[in-house]
Amino acid sequence: MVLLRNTRRTRWLWLSAVVLMTGCSTARVYRSYPGTAIDRTTTLVGSRIPGPITAQVLERQNVRTSFLGRVWPGQAADRLEETGAVLSDSDGLIALADLRAKQARRQELIHRQTACELYLDAIEAATAYLARTPTLAVGIEPIGPQEQEARRAYNAACAGFLRCSAGTTMQLDETWVSEQAARGVDIRLRNDPALWQASRFDHFYFASDYRVLGIQNPRQNDGLGVPLIAERRTPPFVEPETVSGEASYYPLGLQAYPATAVIRAERAAGGKRRSVTIELHDPMRTESIDFPGGMRPLAYDLTTPLAFYFTSLPLPQITQIGLLRPGVLEKQTGLYMLHPYEPGKIPVVLVHGLWSSPDTWHQALNDLRGDPSLRQRYQFWVFFYPTGDPFIYSATKLRESLAAIRQTLDPDRTDAAFDQTVLVGHSMGGILSRLMVQDSGTAFWDAIANRSFSELQAGPVQRAMLSKVFFFSTEPSIRRVVFIATPHQGSTLSGALIGRLGNALIRLPSVFEDIQRSLIDQNDPDFFKAGRLTATTTSITQLSLKSPMLTALNSNSMPPGLPYHSIIAQAAPGPVESGTDLIVSYKSSHLEGADSELIVDGNHACLNKPETIAELRRILHLHLRELTLPPPDAIAPNAGRSDHRAKN
């Protein structure tokens, strides 16, 4: 890790970060309480006060085991079973599930094994009630208070059993299964292709144990099951050469995915042993489950695992190092999938801007993945790159990453969804995205040289690198681009004091200096245009209003037939044509021929604004409507492949 000296120059740069940073809002997640109790947010089980349905049953059956309104749950449950009220009363099973879960909660501090047994009793009772109350189609059935309370009791009992038997940092491995077998509970972890495999993860956490800050509109759903965070840890700075296949596109250090645990429990013959089946559903693929009584919606929490992932990374340090010491993160440059690859889903590649990181997309990812119709048809990837490098070089890395991931995941090119890829770029990320869909011709080389590339004197390695950087073609798989606050014509900030200060602090990788020195030594003095090769070229200098690279970029038009859209921020009221987001002017962000252009109120860091995200949703829905591509496997709720589950 690079440490930055606390010099006066660095302090000035840090003060300017408020202006320079393009996505400064960061998601955070905190443990909200120790986790010794079951989910207090969805049920009254943690209390001795009976739920409303339970209270009505006890009143109807004249079961009086209370003191000042507080029910002794064990005694009340026993009375209901002894008198047969559990079966004779239409809501008796709900009351039994509620009371047994309350009793189990009290037993946790006394005898954990007994508590686990009682939680399983509650699961059986709630399941039995749901089994005899068939549902209508998922999403349109009216949810009555009985159904709602039965689901809550079931979820609370499932969470209680998992906490009681596996703790709050769960390892659902063979050791745990063996421990439960020794206690008379035979557990089977279902490993169907559509389910997460417990063996692929190091730990599971209860999503309800965490509080998320920095992400609005949490994407959660009340249904059946216990929302979890599935965590898999990997070495944070493993050499990329040692990782191959799909695993090379998973985040390094930690992967965190949403999961939902569903428990099916029953007594074995003789009633001495329990048979428990645990299913770990992936809510990114499954919205409803087949449960006794019919299909019911799956409970999920998509927001907390996302924040958990971003919080696990030292993103503020990575952001600073990526700008000031880009060479340190060169090997980490590339595309990253936030969920295992799903054939048939269209890639949406999010490209962050200057002095930023993939965390800048946390709100957009939360909202876009939270839209069921979008997550059924799209998979969201992020491109990470150190932002101090010249953007034309970073664009080369993005181009290589797009080609490599296609070769890895779809070598036979049978996945038509790959050919409908959408790029979304913010700020300088929009420049990188634009460089994916334009032919270079000789414009970029002519911007620095007076002679043709064929006359260049250089070694084979240097020549190959320069050829990739300055000569490229449109990426045919890209079918739509969205530009957000993109400085197509440059930014005045680049030449201002802040820009010059930031540029002075950037230390480019030595390979750039070596190439410059070698080219100057091997070629005639007039081969390159004056100052174009000898001057230090960083991302900031390339974003200046007089940047030859931007001049070359704008000398070529966007390819015909490619839809592209602009989202432009305006920091103050007034004429749009003279507006600015404090970093980029409207004239610079405006791109002729765009299929749509939306002006949003705000500054350059406009990514998390509701208007921006609403426009992204509109564009992605538009993209779907204009496609002839069929849904992946008709998006069957449980379609999937086990070999695409977090297995690096």
Side-chain angles (χ1 to χ4, degrees):
M1 188 65 69
V2 174
L3 298 179
L4 305 179
R5 292 178 59 84
N6 190 22
T7 62
R8 180 186 298 273
R9 186 168 62 175
T10 304
R11 288 197 298 270
W12 271 104
L13 185 58
W14 283 345
L15 287 174
S16 70
V18 175
V19 180
L20 275 176
M21 288 183 69
T22 60
C24 55
S25 178
T26 303
R28 288 290 180 265
V29 63
Y30 298 93
R31 197 70 175 263
S32 58
Y33 61 90
T36 56
I38 59 181
D39 187 358
R40 296 187 179 106
T41 65
T42 61
T43 183
L44 295 174
V45 171
S47 155
R48 285 173 55 192
I49 301 174
I53 303 298
T54 303
Q56 293 172 19
V57 171
L58 295 179
E59 182 67 25
R60 287 198 298 266
Q61 299 301 322
N62 198 28
V63 176
R64 303 186 182 281
T65 58
S66 61
F67 177 72
L68 296 179
R70 295 183 179 180
V71 171
W72 297 102
Q75 295 178 18
D78 291 342
R79 285 287 303 277
L80 288 178
E81 290 190 311
E82 290 168 1
T83 61
V86 170
L87 299 178
S88 62
D89 193 301
S90 60
D91 299 331
L93 287 170
I94 298 177
L96 181 62
D98 183 29
L99 292 169
R100 288 303 186 204
K102 282 180 166 60
Q103 183 184 5
R105 172 70 183 91
R106 291 172 58 79
Q107 283 290 323
E108 281 189 35
L109 302 177
I110 304 171
H111 196 274
R112 297 185 71 83
Q113 185 172 346
T114 300
C116 288
E117 289 286 336
L118 291 168
Y119 280 128
L120 292 176
D121 287 342
I123 291 172
E124 289 183 8
T127 302
Y129 176 84
L130 294 171
R132 73 184 193 187
T133 55
T135 61
L136 301 175
V138 173
I140 65 171
E141 81 278 18
I143 303 297
Q146 284 84 0
E147 172 83 10
Q148 189 175 44
E149 191 60 29
R151 290 183 188 181
R152 287 178 175 175
Y154 170 84
N155 293 346
C158 289
F161 173 75
L162 290 172
R163 287 188 194 276
C164 197
S165 63
T168 57
T169 302
M170 295 180 287
Q171 291 181 290
L172 304 182
D173 52 17
E174 291 301 322
T175 300
W176 173 69
V177 171
S178 299
E179 290 174 351
Q180 300 312 304
R183 296 168 181 166
V185 180
D186 297 320
I187 291 180
R188 181 174 75 96
L189 294 167
R190 273 188 59 186
N191 287 326
D192 294 7
L195 302 176
W196 289 122
Q197 297 182 26
S199 59
R200 302 299 185 189
F201 298 97
D202 297 310
H203 299 98
F204 293 88
Y205 305 94
F206 293 93
S208 60
D209 284 357
Y210 293 85
R211 182 166 59 96
V212 174
L213 300 179
I215 297 183
Q216 305 299 318
N217 307 319
R219 299 301 173 172
Q220 300 163 342
N221 186 58
D222 289 332
L224 282 184
V226 182
L228 303 174
I229 303 169
E231 174 200 75
R232 179 172 174 80
R233 292 193 174 273
T234 57
F237 294 107
V238 65
E239 290 295 326
E241 294 81 4
T242 65
V243 182
S244 60
E246 182 178 333
S248 60
Y249 298 100
Y250 291 152
L252 297 178
L254 177 143
Q255 301 155 33
Y257 304 106
T260 301
V262 173
I263 298 179
R264 304 173 192 261
E266 60 182 14
R267 289 188 182 273
K272 293 183 179 180
R273 297 188 68 83
R274 298 271 196 173
S275 177
V276 174
T277 300
I278 296 180
E279 304 166 356
L280 296 172
H281 291 273
D282 178 3
M284 290 293 293
R285 297 185 62 84
T286 303
E287 296 182 17
S288 60
I289 57 172
D290 190 2
F291 202 75
M295 298 295 292
R296 282 183 165 86
L298 184 73
Y300 62 74
D301 182 340
L302 304 180
T303 300
T304 304
L306 182 68
F308 186 92
Y309 163 68
F310 281 128
T311 299
S312 71
L313 301 176
L315 290 172
Q317 296 90 331
I318 288 174
T319 299
Q320 294 173 9
I321 294 171
L323 177 70
L324 302 180
R325 301 293 185 271
V328 175
L329 299 176
E330 200 71 23
K331 290 185 177 181
Q332 281 69 47
T333 299
L335 285 168
Y336 290 93
M337 301 186 298
L338 303 182
H339 190 270
Y341 168 60
E342 297 179 77
K345 289 191 176 183
I346 301 168
V348 177
V349 180
L350 307 174
V351 188
H352 62 80
L354 180 68
W355 196 315
S356 189
S357 74
D359 177 49
T360 194
W361 299 103
H362 65 259
Q363 185 65 55
L365 281 166
N366 176 72
D367 290 347
L368 297 177
R369 299 199 314 172
D371 184 329
S373 59
L374 293 183
R375 70 170 176 265
Q376 284 183 351
R377 300 297 304 276
Y378 291 105
Q379 49 191 330
F380 296 89
W381 302 343
V382 295
F383 178 67
F384 170 75
Y385 65 103
T387 62
D389 283 339
F391 65 67
I392 193 169
Y393 175 75
S394 297
T396 302
K397 293 296 185 180
L398 175 55
R399 194 174 297 109
E400 292 175 342
S401 295
L402 289 169
I405 198 170
R406 180 71 180 267
Q407 182 60 33
T408 299
L409 302 179
D410 183 36
D412 298 327
R413 295 184 173 266
T414 57
D415 187 357
F418 254 112
D419 294 318
Q420 302 297 333
T421 297
V422 178
L423 289 185
V424 182
H426 177 230
S427 189
M428 189 171 71
I431 300 294
L432 269 64
S433 300
R434 187 175 171 186
L435 286 167
M436 297 302 103
V437 296
Q438 290 191 208
D439 290 325
S440 64
T442 62
F444 293 92
W445 179 254
D446 293 343
I448 67 166
N450 292 313
R451 300 182 190 176
S452 68
F453 185 75
S454 61
E455 300 179 53
L456 178 70
Q457 300 298 315
V461 175
Q462 295 173 338
R463 192 178 187 86
M465 177 182 176
L466 291 171
S467 177
K468 289 190 299 184
V469 170
F470 289 100
F471 300 94
F472 46 84
S473 301
T474 299
E475 289 297 311
S477 62
I478 309 301
R479 285 292 183 270
R480 192 176 298 266
V481 185
V482 183
F483 302 108
I484 305 176
T486 298
H488 298 287
Q489 306 291 336
S491 171
T492 56
L493 189 68
S494 175
L497 175 61
I498 291 176
R500 296 198 304 271
L501 185 57
N503 189 63
L505 288 175
I506 295 175
R507 295 293 179 266
L508 292 176
S510 59
V511 63
F512 292 128
E513 295 181 1
D514 294 342
I515 289 178
Q516 283 181 327
R517 191 179 304 110
S518 175
L519 293 179
I520 292 172
D521 292 341
Q522 295 183 57
N523 293 276
D524 295 337
D526 63 344
F527 190 94
F528 296 100
K529 296 187 176 182
R532 296 288 170 86
L533 193 65
T534 56
T536 300
T537 303
T538 68
S539 58
I540 293 180
T541 58
Q542 284 199 338
L543 290 174
S544 72
L545 297 177
K546 298 180 180 180
S547 166
M549 291 299 104
L550 286 181
T551 300
L553 178 67
N554 290 301
S555 67
N556 293 329
S557 59
M558 294 289 287
L562 176 76
Y564 56 97
H565 309 262
S566 295
I567 301 175
I568 301 173
Q570 187 169 7
V576 171
E577 291 73 13
S578 59
T580 177
D581 63 13
L582 303 181
I583 300 291
V584 181
S585 68
Y586 169 81
K587 291 182 179 179
S588 181
S589 292
H590 173 72
L591 196 58
E592 289 292 338
D595 283 50
S596 66
E597 180 180 280
L598 177 70
I599 308 298
V600 299
D601 294 333
N603 58 27
H604 193 63
C606 61
L607 265 184
N608 296 332
K609 292 187 69 64
E611 299 93 329
T612 301
I613 296 174
E615 177 68 356
L616 286 176
R617 289 182 61 189
R618 184 194 70 80
I619 292 169
L620 292 178
H621 279 290
L622 173 66
H623 192 60
L624 292 178
R625 290 196 301 271
E626 295 181 353
L627 288 180
T628 58
L629 187 70
D633 300 326
I635 304 299
N638 291 326
R641 300 194 316 195
S642 60
D643 60 339
H644 284 138
R645 297 295 166 195
K647 60 178 186 178
N648 51 313

